[in-house]
Amino acid sequence: MKRGELLGSLEQIILLALMRLDGNAHGMIVRREIEKRTGRNISIGAVYATLERLETKGYVSSFTGEPTPERGGRAKRIFRVEAAGKRALQISEQTIRSMTAGLKDGWGTT
Amino acid sequence: MKRDSLPAFACSLLEFVLPGPYREAILGDLIEEYTLRSESTSRFAASRWFWSQACRSVPSMVWSSLRSRDCLISISTAMGVYIVMKILEHGAELAISKWVAPQPTTYVLLAPVVFLTSSAIGGCVAARIRRGATKFLALMVMITVAVLIDLKVCTIPVPWWYQFGFLTLGPLAVIITPTLFGRLKQQRALA
């Protein structure tokens, strides 16, 4: 991760969802996990668009699974969090923590 | 769950619009989830969910594709094919108006044939070079025809459906011909 390059909020949420799913899952499972934990009903297209971006950045990798009849004979695309993705999440988390340090007491006053 | 109970139009729309690399995965995910939802709720609710997902997924995937280089290559291919197609079409029209049909009435009858043939050939060439290029080529054909109709380029009086035919059948010929040829090829290979 380049210095100063932070993860977007959806990128962060999707990477965290993948981590929760033992580091690898396909798009619909990621979408379900996000909906379950945050209540956000995001589209499958948004999930794949973000995963594609994360793959280009080298934060996740993917491979094609076997086609199954339940999926109309279409193959799954399984995504896995890479070490660079984990590092990016840590940096994002540290940045948020350092930026919010000392602010929490004042949040309720405005 | 039978596949024919799926919202077929939504599936075809996604198949056409979604960019190549993730098309299969997204459609597979949606079909799998649709099956689960139609078993746990109702088919109507599952269809509604499928349609909402399809409509909301297209913009993000198209935008993502536009940002990637993949889309630029498809657009460039479509533009290249379109230029060659128009040169050939212009040549054929010149030949028709000079030797075959100098009268305007015969020209009006032959122009759609030339247009549809060049659109069909263009579609096949674009699909052969790059599968994703056909939709951009179809879009280019549609926009050009719409602009030409708006500019009232055709000086010969023709009925509205004549121009409407150009507007709809041209892009359709670009998209459908390579699909038909692909199926024919598959059938021949199987035989």
Side-chain angles (χ1 to χ4, degrees), chain B residues 61-131:
Chain B
M61 286 312 292
V62 169
W63 176 239
S64 163
S65 168
L66 280 170
R67 281 168 53 153
S68 71
R69 203 192 271 174
D70 191 57
C71 185
L72 286 177
I73 297 168
S74 294
I75 292 173
S76 312
T77 309
M79 280 174 90
V81 173
Y82 184 78
I83 291 166
V84 176
M85 208 173 99
K86 285 293 140 189
I87 292 170
L88 292 175
E89 202 181 302
H90 191 64
E93 279 176 354
L94 272 178
I96 288 169
S97 57
K98 208 167 185 182
W99 296 299
V100 187
Q103 298 94 350
T105 334
T106 332
Y107 178 78
V108 165
L109 288 172
L110 284 174
V113 179
V114 174
F115 173 71
L116 288 178
T117 312
S118 76
S119 300
I121 295 170
C124 288
V125 173
R128 181 107 183 154
I129 301 170
R130 201 173 178 83
R131 196 173 177 253

Side-chain angles (χ1 to χ4, degrees), chain A residues 39-52:
Chain A
R40 276 177 76 174
N41 178 20
I42 55 172
S43 74
I44 189 72
V47 172
Y48 273 97
T50 312
L51 283 167
E52 187 184 7

Side-chain angles (χ1 to χ4, degrees), chain A residues 26-28 31-32 41-46 48-49 52-53 55 70-72 74-77 79, chain B residues 3 15 22 24-33 35-37 49 53 56-57 60-61 64 67:
Chain A
H26 67 279
M28 192 52 84
R31 202 199 78 83
R32 263 187 232 148
N41 178 20
I42 55 172
S43 74
I44 189 72
Y48 273 97
E52 187 184 7
R53 208 161 52 236
E55 194 170 16
E70 303 88 62
R71 300 173 55 85
R74 294 168 199 279
K76 270 180 193 167
R77 188 93 176 176
F79 291 88
Chain B
R3 266 203 81 192
E15 196 128 20
Y22 296 106
E24 289 287 294
I26 294 177
L27 271 165
D29 278 8
L30 285 174
I31 291 167
E32 196 179 358
E33 184 75 8
T35 312
L36 290 172
R37 279 177 187 255
W49 176 85
Q53 281 292 322
R56 287 168 56 212
S57 292
S60 37
M61 286 312 292
S64 163
R67 281 168 53 153

Side-chain angles (χ1 to χ4, degrees), chain A residues 26-93:
Chain A
H26 67 279
M28 192 52 84
I29 301 284
V30 172
R31 202 199 78 83
R32 263 187 232 148
E33 181 71 14
I34 294 169
E35 194 172 17
K36 195 175 91 184
R37 296 211 163 256
T38 67
R40 276 177 76 174
N41 178 20
I42 55 172
S43 74
I44 189 72
V47 172
Y48 273 97
T50 312
L51 283 167
E52 187 184 7
R53 208 161 52 236
L54 289 170
E55 194 170 16
T56 316
K57 289 178 180 175
Y59 297 160
V60 300
S61 60
S62 72
F63 63 94
T64 310
E66 286 295 307
T68 56
E70 303 88 62
R71 300 173 55 85
R74 294 168 199 279
K76 270 180 193 167
R77 188 93 176 176
I78 318 275
F79 291 88
R80 190 173 37 218
V81 184
E82 291 298 321
K86 289 176 189 168
R87 227 176 11 253
L89 268 177
Q90 280 170 351
I91 294 170
S92 274
E93 201 251 332

